Amino acid sequence: MSSEPGISPRGTLFVVSAPSGTGKTTLCKRIVDIFPNLRQSVSFTTRAMRPGERDGVDYFFVSPQTFADMVAAKAFAEWAEVHGNRYGTAIKTLEDWRNAGCDVLLDIDIQGAAQLRKTYDQGVFVFILPPDLVELRRRLEGRGTDAPEVIERRIANARREIPECVHYDYLIVNDDFEQALNRLTSIITAEGCRTARMLPTLAKTFDLFR
Ligand code: 5GP
């Protein structure tokens, strides 16, 4: 993105992180339906495919060797090891969408977000929080998908991840899902109206830099 005349606008990166159980995945799924110009980045991962997941849609599922080759080839904008598996965002995925003028939504962990903050400093970083840890535990137990020790690990991870929220641009407490979705919608709308993001287009229309 640039405010100089003659330079076309490029899409914005919206980076969303959250502890497990905060509703981030559902929020991300809903938000891309609201903004037709917003595309969700599909990450590469070494973890096994879960029932119902599709290769190339939920993730690109690759072998540890393929992932290591991509790291060596510097193909990733960021990558991290999360819960014993590797996850990464390909530079090509981001650049293809941005060059097409689309905004890109990335659902990535705090380590990946920290890497991107250094390289894509015009990205917008959003952290989703549970109302508190008691409610987080209640939600994780309510899902009925995780064994007690897995729930304890997720709570311990949340305690470690939540302090990282201070490095993000926006914080959304997901106390009520629709309200959280409204907040995320407002953030994306407001960011799109920033002068620096509007100028490249408006400059031509109104010949602003004559
Ligand atoms: P899951 O395996 O449950 O789909 O995702 C586990 C965690 O990995 C989530 O916190 C998710 O945000 C994170 N994640 C997914 N894709 C990426 C990625 O490309 N990079 C990083 N750093 N984290 C990712």
Side-chain angles (χ1 to χ4, degrees), residues 67-79 89-92:
F67 198 98
D69 290 345
M70 290 179 74
V71 171
K74 300 198 185 323
F76 289 121
E78 62 74 32
W79 67 272
T89 307
I91 293 172
K92 188 174 184 326

Side-chain angles (χ1 to χ4, degrees), residues 60-166:
F60 293 106
F61 295 92
V62 295
S63 68
Q65 186 58 54
T66 301
F67 198 98
D69 290 345
M70 290 179 74
V71 171
K74 300 198 185 323
F76 289 121
E78 62 74 32
W79 67 272
E81 190 162 316
V82 187
H83 314 312
N85 293 299
R86 288 178 167 194
Y87 297 82
T89 307
I91 293 172
K92 188 174 184 326
T93 306
L94 300 185
E95 292 307 297
D96 284 355
W97 284 128
R98 295 180 78 217
N99 288 334
C102 293
D103 297 329
V104 190
L105 180 72
L106 293 92
D107 165 349
I108 62 174
D109 87 314
I110 52 172
Q111 307 168 77
Q115 292 169 44
L116 280 184
R117 213 175 280 117
K118 292 187 192 135
T119 44
Y120 288 89
D121 62 347
Q122 286 162 344
V124 179
F125 294 79
V126 183
F127 196 94
I128 320 278
L129 297 113
D132 54 47
L133 291 177
V134 175
E135 173 61 15
L136 181 66
R137 179 185 294 279
R138 202 187 61 75
R139 288 183 192 174
L140 288 170
E141 287 172 351
R143 294 205 298 206
T145 49
D146 298 324
E149 64 272 18
V150 176
I151 292 181
E152 290 314 318
R153 199 164 64 228
R154 290 190 195 279
I155 298 279
N157 285 340
R159 280 188 200 282
R160 188 177 45 79
E161 290 161 351
I162 287 171
E164 286 298 305
C165 76
V166 300

